[in-house]
Amino acid sequence: MIHDKTILIVDDEPRTREGIRKTLEGWSAGRNHIRTAESGAQAVELLRKQPADLLITDVRMPEISGLSLIEAIQHFSNKPVVLIMSGHADFQYAQQAIKLGVVEYMLKPIDKEQLLQTVEKALKFSEQQRRIQTMQELVDPKLLDVKERGEQRLNSQISEALTYVDTHLGEHVTMREIADLLHLNSSYFSVLFKEQIGINFSEYLTRKRIQRAKELLVQTTMPISEIAEQVGYQTDKYFITVFKSLEGLSPSKYRHSLTVRGNK
């Protein structure tokens, strides 16, 4: 079971709402936070103040319907994964729900086993979405520009140089070494690299190393000193200095900030 997630149940029918809450609380045994709202308007306010990982909402409710609720939270930065409940097998509602990114459309009365299986599946999907979002936040904008340039076809020698950097990040890499490998004059290689990539070789190498370090900080529990070595820095002190110059905070604070955000 995935722990420390927030589930919000929205239904104007107290009996249904409380029944689902009790079922989920029994299943969760305190490992997740189960909250309820009796209307779409109340749900929007709750989600604005405290994001949820999973939203379970009825389709037909007075004032704000389930679909209107989902539309109202589309612009929220931390959107929950959504399950919809309905007492009617309405094809039009189902179509709209799919367009809004709803992961499951459940018909009432809801079977307890089906509910728990669907919630488990939805929370796993939510976890995957959070991981994808976190990885997207790690990407260096300048390296993204380089990738886009690559899609517009780079000089074959520069492409080869980029591949070499990628496969030797943990080693001592110099521009002269790569220029020699490509049988190019260092000065010419330097000019060609800047022309093709948009930044000079030294900056590119640094950004690639810090990018890889960010991935290791988030995906592993590896010590800072070991990460420094993995990305080509001989001392963790120098690595921390370079990391702070690019990211504005130390590697340990960076790791902590993303871990805290990922758990919300």
Side-chain angles (χ1 to χ4, degrees), residues 72-88:
I73 64 170
Q74 286 297 304
H75 66 281
F76 284 18
S77 56
N78 289 311
K79 284 189 301 181
V81 168
V82 183
L83 303 179
I84 266 195
M85 307 176 287
S86 176
H88 309 274

Side-chain angles (χ1 to χ4, degrees), residues 104-160:
E104 195 74 49
Y105 192 95
M106 298 183 291
L107 286 175
K108 293 180 178 180
I110 297 164
D111 175 75
K112 284 186 181 181
E113 279 304 310
Q114 184 208 355
L115 172 67
L116 296 179
Q117 284 174 14
T118 307
V119 165
E120 282 270 20
K121 177 181 157 189
L123 286 177
K124 282 177 185 170
F125 181 71
S126 168
E127 189 73 10
Q128 287 170 353
Q129 294 294 96
R130 290 272 183 270
R131 281 179 189 159
I132 291 166
Q133 187 181 351
T134 300
M135 293 312 292
Q136 285 172 339
E137 288 173 9
L138 299 182
V139 180
D140 183 321
K142 285 200 176 181
L143 292 181
L144 204 56
D145 287 344
V146 171
K147 189 181 175 188
E148 285 169 3
R149 281 170 183 259
E151 286 166 0
Q152 294 163 15
R153 295 185 69 83
L154 292 172
N155 172 294
S156 62
Q157 289 167 311
I158 296 302
S159 289
E160 199 176 327

Side-chain angles (χ1 to χ4, degrees), residues 4 51 57 71-72 75 81 101-102 109 119 135 137 148 167 173 179 212 217 241 243 255:
D4 299 318
T57 180
E71 284 175 345
H75 66 281
V81 168
V102 172
V119 165
M135 293 312 292
E137 288 173 9
E148 285 169 3
T167 53
V173 178
R212 179 63 184 141
L217 284 165
T241 301
F243 192 99
R255 171 181 267 166

Side-chain angles (χ1 to χ4, degrees), residues 227-243:
I227 290 176
E229 193 179 329
Q230 286 266 332
V231 299
Y233 290 97
Q234 293 181 332
T235 69
D236 51 349
K237 188 177 178 182
Y238 182 56
F239 164 64
I240 291 165
T241 301
V242 175
F243 192 99

